[in-house]
Amino acid sequence: MTLLPALPILLPLCGAVFCMLLRTHLAAQKGVALLFSVLVLGASIGLLAQTRDGSVAVMNVGNWAAPYGITLAADMFSCVMLVLSGLLAVSVFIYACFDLDTERIRFGFFPLSLILLMGVNGAFVTGDLFNLYVWFEVLLTASFILLALGGEQPQLEGSIKYVTLNLLSSALFLAGIGILYGMAGTLNMAELAHVVQQGDRGGLVTMVAVMFMMAFGIKAGMFPLYFWLPASYPTPPAAVTALFSGLLTKVGAYSMIRVFTLIFITDPDFLHVLILTGAGLTMVSGVLAAAAQYEMRKILAVHIVSQIGYVIMGLGLFTPLALTGTIIYLIHIIIVKTNLFLVAGAIRRIKGTYDLHELGGLYKERPGLSVLFIISAMSLAGVPPLSGFFAKFTLILAGLNRGAWVIVAVALGVSLLTLYSMVKIWTYVFWKPAPEPLPDRITASGGKWLAFLSPMIAFTLLAVGLGIFAGPVFDYAQTAADQLMNSDAYIQAVLGGG
Amino acid sequence: MEIVLAIVVGTLYGCGLYLMMRRNLVQLIIGLALISHGANLLIFTAGGLRQGGAPILAEGDAAFAQIPADPLPQALILTAIVISFAVTAFALVLFLRTYQTVGTDDVDQLKETDT
């Protein structure tokens, strides 16, 4: 037994504790937060390397053998998500060091973000449903405070909607856990998979599955449960929104993928078709809502909904190829979407606004920033040879193989509308001449500016790299998807001693 | 006994959802609290209402003398109660701050973020 699966949880906790001890030393807090996020990333990469061959890293907390104790189990899919969350934390922390106001840092942005990271990583590695609930609460509580931090009126109003719906989703999740425990007598995911697939319990399993779908659907932002998202995500500063968009909805999607590939696979004709329908409606409603917006940050935030549709589409199709597509899409979307939020935040930092009508002429003024934006935007829309193209291509190929023509048509149409939204931002912010010239609020040049831009440059290179090296990425995602589809290895690894 | 508790759980959920759909912030949070109580009671009921001894083995015993009661649902509920206590406390502060900033406790007036 090794400690490695627990490190992505323990390291952020240590970091948060140190940050809280250094409450008044803001510069030291920045350093500690950066150091620990790099350590988390390192531990996640170590875990990724360990599970590369398709093994599952299992750790029984306190040496209580599964299914009696709490099990941490990291398979390839978990590890990929861990690495992405670590990467995201590092880059958002670099960004926040420059952009976030001192007031928010003084009130604990860094310790809260580290706690959020701990909750997210915990959700990625846990092998126990109740433990998953606890990690959800950890990350939710941290996110509640991060969202309200600063106390501006839109933030508070957005927080109320966010808090209410997420608490309702937690209550549903908890109720589902209770019924599942009464039915199966265990909450260890591997044992649950085993028990649920054995006996014929008829509609009860499906009913519990729908409760889980609702609970995770609210957290992931799935149609028709996403209304808290456009109300709350665009309200906090760009650093917080980038962190949320990359981590929170993705945890919901991850959990949904986990339980609907491991436990609730008894009734795919109903459940996965329901998910697929939800996916299609999610894509369409998200992209249409985004098309109506004229504020950069809002367009991007509402677009998260439509991206979640693509992620869930792969789960709904429920074939190895479709899940491969889902995993590639998750990698792609976390990198690209975060980058778009960071670039939007950088524009706001120079010009002081997100409004498409007020901005303009940035292509002339800031060609470098424009390149960073356009590469990510085109990748989001799915233009080859960038990362989004291969993710969408895999998903659509999987749809065609299954003969699911409707969802393929919807996915392609939504892609086109995504392109419309991105081109809208491009034309308004970068191409059109500024209606009245906005003076730069800061001197945006020199080494410090370059350091500020470094996470965006890294993400842009990653988006290009994912497209160029699509082969190895595809192979990895395919192995991870096979592991998800054939859960026997996971069950064996957890229950067969650790 | 299960029937009685099932009715109680249903009533708690019903009242909670009704209160959540009212326009008042205070009623909203009472509704949330009722729903989390309902969920806790649901775990308790679904976990099986059996009478039995404490699930502790004396040293040297190989098996329980009588079938013990299942302690896990209580442990789960205890955790859930602690969490919902913390979250409700936070929500109360948030709602108070909102009331002070916006100047109303009418949920329908919180339209700043709607466009």
Side-chain angles (χ1 to χ4, degrees):
Chain A
M1 195 186 85
T2 120
L3 194 64
L4 200 55
L7 280 185
I9 303 173
L10 294 175
L11 286 172
L13 180 64
C14 297
V17 170
F18 282 123
C19 278
M20 281 184 214
L21 290 175
L22 296 166
R23 207 163 55 84
T24 47
H25 303 82
L26 301 190
Q29 265 196 37
K30 289 178 183 174
V32 168
L34 266 177
L35 171 71
F36 274 91
S37 60
V38 170
L39 286 177
V40 173
L41 180 61
S44 307
I45 291 174
L47 208 53
L48 184 83
Q50 203 192 335
T51 57
R52 243 190 97 75
D53 52 351
S55 61
V56 182
V58 178
M59 179 192 160
N60 291 318
V61 179
N63 256 342
W64 289 87
Y68 303 108
I70 290 170
T71 309
L72 304 180
D75 63 355
M76 293 172 80
F77 181 40
S78 305
C79 290
V80 124
M81 298 304 287
L82 284 174
V83 170
L84 286 170
S85 75
L87 194 66
L88 193 79
V90 174
S91 49
V92 170
F93 284 174
I94 295 177
Y95 178 91
C97 284
F98 293 98
D99 187 45
L100 204 66
D101 48 306
T102 354
E103 203 60 10
R104 284 194 170 87
I105 296 179
R106 181 168 294 136
F107 278 105
F109 170 80
F110 285 113
L112 285 167
S113 304
L114 283 165
I115 298 278
L116 180 73
L117 186 64
M118 171 177 87
V120 169
N121 285 349
F124 287 152
V125 294
T126 186
D128 182 283
L129 263 187
F130 192 76
N131 202 231
L132 181 64
Y133 164 77
V134 175
W135 289 126
F136 261 123
E137 293 300 313
V138 169
L139 72 92
L140 278 181
T141 312
S143 72
F144 292 162
I145 308 173
L146 276 174
L147 190 62
L149 201 65
E152 293 159 17
Q153 188 177 338
Q155 280 189 302
L156 290 172
E157 292 188 8
S159 298
I160 287 196
K161 294 162 193 175
Y162 177 75
V163 168
T164 309
L165 280 170
N166 274 294
L167 289 185
L168 190 64
S169 127
S170 296
L172 270 174
F173 186 13
L174 199 57
I177 288 175
I179 298 173
L180 203 55
Y181 180 74
M183 194 167 67
T186 179
L187 287 173
N188 183 292
M189 289 199 231
E191 208 190 6
L192 267 177
H194 196 60
V195 174
V196 168
Q197 279 158 45
Q198 267 181 346
D200 179 33
R201 291 184 177 77
L204 196 56
V205 175
T206 309
M207 187 212 67
V208 177
V210 172
M211 287 182 84
F212 276 89
M213 196 190 293
M214 294 268 292
F216 294 145
I218 292 180
K219 290 184 204 296
M222 185 178 161
F223 181 89
L225 311 162
Y226 63 80
F227 292 103
W228 55 270
L229 198 150
S232 59
Y233 270 28
T235 56
V240 178
T241 312
L243 202 61
F244 280 15
S245 99
L247 294 179
L248 294 186
T249 45
K250 307 305 176 284
V251 181
Y254 165 87
S255 311
M256 200 184 265
I257 293 167
R258 177 64 73 200
V259 298
F260 281 96
T261 54
L262 187 62
I263 303 171
F264 302 118
I265 49 175
T266 46
D267 194 3
D269 286 339
F270 172 69
L271 288 174
H272 289 80
V273 169
L274 194 62
I275 292 177
L276 196 60
T277 317
L281 291 167
T282 311
M283 283 184 216
V284 174
S285 48
V287 86
L288 287 182
Q293 300 290 341
Y294 276 91
E295 206 205 40
M296 215 181 344
R297 186 170 51 162
K298 270 205 175 134
I299 297 177
L300 294 175
V302 178
H303 252 293
I304 296 174
V305 175
S306 123
Q307 320 303 337
I308 285 292
Y310 282 97
V311 172
I312 298 174
M313 167 184 166
L315 176 63
L317 289 169
F318 204 49
T319 62
L321 187 64
L323 280 172
T324 310
T326 288
I327 295 171
I328 301 177
Y329 201 87
L330 270 170
I331 302 173
H332 145 75
I333 198 63
I334 291 181
I335 289 171
V336 167
K337 198 78 204 199
T338 313
N339 197 23
L340 283 172
F341 273 114
L342 295 184
V343 173
I347 293 171
R348 153 88 204 259
R349 195 167 170 228
I350 305 172
K351 294 296 182 191
T353 178
Y354 287 112
D355 197 320
L356 291 192
H357 295 299
E358 291 172 34
L359 288 164
L362 267 166
Y363 181 59
K364 216 172 185 176
E365 286 179 45
R366 309 244 156 237
L369 205 58
S370 315
V371 169
L372 293 181
F373 178 82
I374 195 72
I375 289 179
S376 299
M378 288 301 116
S379 178
L380 190 75
V383 173
L386 300 163
S387 58
F389 170 73
F390 291 99
K392 284 184 180 168
F393 177 73
T394 316
L395 281 172
I396 284 165
L397 192 65
L400 290 177
N401 285 351
R402 274 283 307 267
W405 309 114
V406 180
I407 194 77
V408 168
V410 168
L412 288 171
V414 169
S415 243
L416 209 61
L417 284 170
T418 311
L419 188 62
Y420 162 75
S421 276
M422 291 304 121
V423 169
K424 184 167 84 178
I425 299 184
W426 176 253
T427 341
Y428 272 86
V429 177
F430 294 93
W431 261 2
K432 134 194 124 175
E436 45 194 274
L438 288 166
D440 287 6
R441 301 196 312 163
I442 50 162
T443 45
S445 56
K448 212 174 162 193
W449 179 250
L450 215 60
F452 170 66
L453 286 185
S454 62
M456 294 164 231
I457 296 169
F459 273 151
T460 309
L461 289 177
L462 267 174
V464 177
L466 277 176
I468 294 172
F469 299 103
V473 176
F474 184 87
D475 288 342
Y476 183 88
Q478 198 176 27
T479 325
D482 284 341
Q483 209 178 20
L484 283 176
M485 289 298 282
N486 307 308
S487 46
D488 290 344
Y490 181 91
I491 298 173
Q492 277 276 308
V494 173
L495 294 182
Chain B
M1 195 60 195
E2 270 95 348
I3 295 285
V4 177
L5 277 177
I7 292 170
V8 173
V9 170
T11 314
L12 282 172
Y13 265 86
C15 295
L17 282 173
Y18 174 76
L19 284 173
M20 279 183 73
M21 283 183 273
R22 307 286 294 171
R23 288 165 52 176
N24 187 299
L25 276 180
V26 180
Q27 289 176 346
L28 176 63
I29 198 152
I30 296 174
L32 274 177
L34 284 184
I35 286 180
S36 76
H37 292 330
N40 289 338
L41 215 51
L42 177 67
I43 299 180
F44 186 62
T45 317
L49 301 171
R50 283 192 306 273
Q51 284 191 330
I56 302 168
L57 273 180
E59 207 168 338
D61 282 358
F64 292 113
Q66 54 169 334
I67 298 171
D70 186 354
L72 197 68
Q74 280 97 313
L76 300 184
I77 293 167
L78 197 59
T79 317
I81 287 176
V82 174
I83 291 174
S84 79
F85 167 73
V87 171
T88 310
F90 170 76
L92 273 173
V93 176
L94 174 72
F95 287 12
L96 182 65
R97 271 297 296 275
T98 311
Y99 175 67
Q100 286 167 346
T101 311
V102 187
T104 174
D105 64 349
D106 185 348
V107 180
D108 276 8
Q109 299 303 316
L110 305 179
K111 290 188 289 203
E112 180 92 359
T113 54
D114 303 347
T115 36

